[in-house]
Amino acid sequence: MNIINGISIVLVIIFIVIIIFKPKNEVKSENKIEVFIEKNSKVIFFIILVFAILLRIVLLQDIPVGVNVDEAGIAYDASSMANYGVDRDLNKNPVYLINYGDGQNVLYTYVTSLFIKIFGYSVFILRLPAVLFSIGGIVAAYFLVKEHRGKTMGLLFMFIITMVPWEIMKARWGLESNLLSPMFIISIFLLSKAVKKQKGRYFLLSGISFGITLYAYAVSYVILPIFLLMAFIYLKFKKEINFKQIIFFGTGIIFFAIPLILLLLINNNIIHEIKTNFITIPKLPAYRQGEVSLGNIKYNLFSIWSIFYRDNLPYNSLPDFGTVYMFSFAILFGGIFIFIKKINDGKNLKEIFSNINKVDVFMLFALISSIICGLLIYAPNINKINAVYIPLIYFISLTIYYILRNRKKIFLIIIIMYIIFFTMFCMKYFSQKNPNILFDNSTTQVTEYVDNKFSDTSRKIYFDKMAVFRQPYIYTLLANKISPYEFASATPNTWSPVISYGRYNFYENSDNINELVQDENAIYIILKSDYMKLNIQNENNNIDEFMDYYIIYK
């Protein structure tokens, strides 16, 4: 695969050099490919849309295998909110979740709770919001670009977003921070629509969308102000926005921003925690206030660029394919060259802005604001900088569109390359049979098995805490459907570390199990990998094997 990647990159570089330094002579002939796309745009849009939905929804419950610990946290909080009106910490309408102590963004959980209220809980329902937001982002991307650059460019952008690994992988599991990317492009589309319509209600709607985006991921507190500052300066320079419209926009975004401003004040010890029957703005036990800092720039300056391609988290990319396929970055650099050339053609700022399409400017601002945030945050990875990928894919698509208009044969070769790499990616991704280290596929099931087999609630259960990053309790809560009120009353801290609740006890070190296996009435759930370290001599022990665990009882 590395050889194929290398050959593909070399080919693309050659193509770009040919196009840039030996442009095709101007000919007054029709571009048959573009004419075909324009005539059949509705059919092509529908085909891409159906294909995108199928890619994200087929085998959704099974791939990725297992449930991530953050997904499980969302699932329990969403179930609690759907059924009891509170999260696991008994907070009503929280603007931010406590989760395992260091917080979690709420947008994904609120949407999931609505689905659970209607359909009940399942892994499919847990992941459905990721699919729907992804599709919403793809559709918004198409209409945004179609409005400014035509149907062909819009469909090309839609096609590339649909095909790249990052967009497929992030849409198939419930990581709440991944909602930032689709919400960002939806908000940009609504801002663009507002500028075109020049009506206050559209600016209000755009402001509301940006305000909701703040609840997708906390890094948006950095990205959105930078983007909006650049966007409004640009629009004011172009005389496409006035003070009244800014007020409408500001009303929408400030309404949603105020609770989060209070959240920051509370967690910086400026004001006290707010808890009412209407809203909860919590004080987090482990507030990550050092996550964004100017001091991080020196560490991130040279490392962040490699993260655009892939990181070491198996749920973000596959090593052989990366986020958008390696050869796409060669295309991107070609696009940057073309973009800079357009800027250089302008003699002054007015001419530069006249030469550049509005959607190009918005996407450039989105890219810049996302990169700045990536430089400021601690230990950046793909999900932390996920807002960068839609604008990045846009400039890749823009270069391919330029190639279409200048070298049709090279365009077809590049499209074929995407189809080949996409096919190889799907063959590998959809053939997964085992969960990666960050996903658990057995703790919920073993809990259900034990609860069904040992219905006597007086029997204590000791659970190996080394399972799923020392958070097996969240999976047991999902399995036995315990209410958040019962859980909170039995647990001093509902966030990590949870030592016990009800008849469940979670022990830190499985090497001590020989000392624990003294209660003849208790049940012990031990990871198979930990069990091999043990030396249990008592022949009276019964041992059941269940997926990744041994269940020891008398």
Side-chain angles (χ1 to χ4, degrees):
M1 184 60 66
N2 289 331
I3 294 174
I4 297 174
N5 261 319
I7 293 171
S8 301
I9 293 166
V10 171
L11 282 174
V12 169
I13 290 172
I14 292 171
F15 295 157
I16 297 295
V17 169
I18 290 171
I19 293 163
I20 291 175
F21 294 103
K22 195 179 178 182
K24 193 174 182 179
N25 294 329
E26 292 291 333
V27 180
K28 299 290 184 179
S29 61
E30 283 187 326
N31 187 318
K32 293 181 180 179
I33 296 175
E34 193 163 2
V35 169
F36 174 82
I37 293 172
E38 292 283 333
K39 284 184 177 179
N40 299 279
S41 60
K42 290 184 180 178
V43 175
I44 295 170
F45 172 83
F46 181 75
I47 290 171
I48 296 174
L49 181 61
V50 170
F51 191 56
I53 293 170
L54 290 174
L55 273 172
R56 286 150 182 78
I57 212 161
V58 170
L59 298 175
L60 183 64
Q61 186 145 335
D62 303 313
I63 298 175
V65 180
V67 174
N68 179 270
V69 69
D70 281 325
E71 278 187 302
I74 288 172
Y76 185 68
D77 277 326
S79 297
S80 298
M81 290 162 68
N83 297 316
Y84 300 96
V86 295
D87 65 10
R88 83 183 87 152
D89 299 283
L90 308 186
N91 293 325
K92 293 185 177 181
N93 302 317
V95 303
Y96 207 74
L97 296 163
I98 293 176
N99 198 28
Y100 301 115
D102 55 359
Q104 189 174 52
N105 309 279
V106 298
L107 179 59
Y108 197 108
T109 303
Y110 275 109
V111 176
T112 306
S113 70
L114 176 62
F115 289 152
I116 291 174
K117 187 78 171 176
I118 299 170
F119 303 107
Y121 170 74
S122 68
V123 176
F124 181 90
I125 290 299
L126 172 61
R127 291 174 172 172
L128 187 58
V131 174
L132 296 178
F133 275 90
S134 173
I135 297 300
I138 290 172
V139 172
Y142 166 72
F143 283 106
L144 171 66
V145 175
K146 173 198 168 189
E147 194 167 277
H148 294 280
R149 281 197 164 272
K151 297 173 184 176
T152 301
M153 175 60 193
L155 289 169
L156 181 61
F157 186 32
M158 186 181 182
F159 172 79
I160 300 298
I161 295 174
T162 299
M163 300 280 277
V164 296
W166 164 79
E167 176 64 38
I168 296 169
M169 292 179 71
K170 67 95 174 172
R172 292 184 59 88
W173 71 288
L175 182 63
E176 94 288 355
S177 59
N178 280 337
L179 294 192
L180 173 58
S181 175
M183 279 303 304
F184 197 14
I185 192 67
I186 290 168
S187 299
I188 292 172
F189 165 68
L190 291 174
L191 176 60
S192 171
K193 182 66 72 175
V195 172
K196 182 180 179 180
K197 294 289 185 180
Q198 286 293 303
K199 292 183 178 179
R201 65 177 179 270
Y202 284 94
F203 282 96
L204 177 63
L205 180 62
S206 172
I208 290 171
S209 181
F210 275 101
I212 293 171
T213 303
L214 293 168
Y215 292 82
Y217 192 19
V219 299
S220 63
Y221 308 168
V222 177
I223 294 172
L224 296 195
I226 297 171
F227 170 82
L228 291 172
L229 177 63
M230 292 188 291
F232 280 116
I233 290 173
Y234 164 73
L235 291 171
K236 194 68 180 170
F237 180 84
K238 294 274 287 183
K239 298 180 180 178
E240 295 186 37
I241 194 170
N242 58 43
F243 181 73
K244 185 179 177 181
Q245 291 164 342
I246 292 173
I247 293 297
F248 273 105
F249 179 90
T251 301
I253 193 170
I254 288 171
F255 176 81
F256 287 93
I258 286 173
L260 296 176
I261 293 170
L262 293 174
L263 177 74
L264 295 175
L265 293 175
I266 289 167
N267 285 282
N268 280 285
N269 300 312
I270 297 172
I271 62 175
H272 294 295
E273 181 179 57
I274 298 172
K275 274 194 174 188
T276 70
N277 288 328
F278 173 70
I279 194 172
T280 302
I281 308 178
K283 170 74 173 172
L284 300 176
Y287 178 54
R288 292 178 286 186
Q289 60 183 356
E291 185 102 349
V292 177
S293 169
L294 290 171
N296 293 325
I297 294 176
K298 60 182 177 182
Y299 301 107
N300 296 338
L301 195 58
F302 298 104
S303 63
I304 191 173
W305 312 109
S306 62
I307 296 169
F308 290 166
Y309 175 56
R310 65 176 294 261
D311 59 20
N312 61 353
L313 297 171
Y315 53 69
N316 280 331
S317 63
L318 298 183
D320 293 333
F321 300 95
T323 53
V324 295
Y325 307 117
M326 189 64 178
F327 65 86
S328 295
F329 288 92
I331 298 173
L332 175 65
F333 293 134
I336 292 171
F337 185 93
I338 294 166
F339 194 81
I340 292 171
K341 189 174 183 299
K342 274 191 175 184
I343 293 175
N344 287 337
D345 288 342
K347 295 178 181 178
N348 53 51
L349 198 58
K350 190 173 182 179
E351 275 195 23
I352 289 171
F353 281 138
S354 297
N355 289 342
I356 303 172
N357 196 293
K358 186 178 286 141
V359 70
D360 296 0
V361 175
F362 280 162
M363 287 299 185
L364 178 63
F365 291 164
L367 188 65
I368 290 170
S369 58
S370 300
I371 290 173
I372 290 172
C373 181
L375 292 171
L376 292 173
I377 58 178
Y378 174 75
N381 55 38
I382 287 170
N383 44 280
K384 286 185 178 182
I385 62 169
N386 73 83
V388 81
Y389 287 101
I390 293 294
L392 187 145
I393 293 169
Y394 173 78
F395 285 105
I396 292 169
S397 304
L398 188 61
T399 310
I400 298 172
Y401 180 61
Y402 180 83
I403 292 170
L404 167 62
R405 309 200 91 183
N406 288 274
R407 286 282 194 276
K408 293 188 288 290
K409 291 181 180 178
I410 294 177
F411 166 79
L412 290 173
I413 291 171
I414 288 175
I415 294 299
I416 290 168
M417 286 169 61
Y418 272 104
I419 292 171
I420 290 170
F421 272 80
F422 164 76
T423 303
M424 291 189 294
F425 164 77
C426 286
M427 289 172 64
K428 186 165 185 177
Y429 180 75
F430 287 99
S431 64
Q432 297 179 70
K433 294 181 180 178
N434 299 308
N436 68 57
I437 192 172
L438 301 174
F439 285 68
D440 178 80
N441 192 39
S442 57
T443 305
T444 302
Q445 291 91 323
V446 75
T447 303
E448 291 172 346
Y449 173 83
V450 169
D451 279 346
N452 289 330
K453 182 166 182 172
F454 306 97
S455 57
D456 180 2
T457 56
S458 67
R459 300 190 69 174
K460 290 185 177 180
I461 297 172
Y462 290 90
F463 211 117
D464 189 342
K465 201 176 180 184
M466 294 304 292
V468 289
F469 291 95
R470 305 189 180 189
Q471 306 291 356
Y473 82 90
I474 198 70
Y475 294 89
T476 66
L477 290 172
L478 280 176
N480 57 37
K481 298 178 177 60
I482 188 171
S483 83
Y485 291 102
E486 186 180 346
F487 174 56
S489 66
T491 310
N493 292 314
T494 54
W495 43 272
S496 179
V498 171
I499 299 171
S500 66
Y501 75 88
R503 64 171 178 160
Y504 278 87
N505 300 270
F506 303 93
Y507 57 89
E508 187 73 34
N509 189 344
S510 60
D511 291 338
N512 294 332
I513 192 67
N514 286 305
E515 299 175 15
L516 288 172
V517 186
Q518 303 296 327
D519 184 351
E520 293 187 359
N521 202 38
I523 302 118
Y524 303 89
I525 304 173
I526 305 171
L527 279 170
K528 288 180 179 178
S529 56
D530 287 338
Y531 179 80
M532 300 305 293
K533 305 173 187 175
L534 307 179
N535 180 26
I536 298 176
Q537 302 292 340
N538 194 332
E539 295 180 359
N540 294 324
N541 289 325
N542 296 302
I543 300 177
D544 289 0
E545 182 178 350
F546 188 94
M547 299 181 75
D548 296 330
Y549 293 96
Y550 287 123
I551 302 155
I552 303 172
Y553 60 96
K554 293 180 182 179

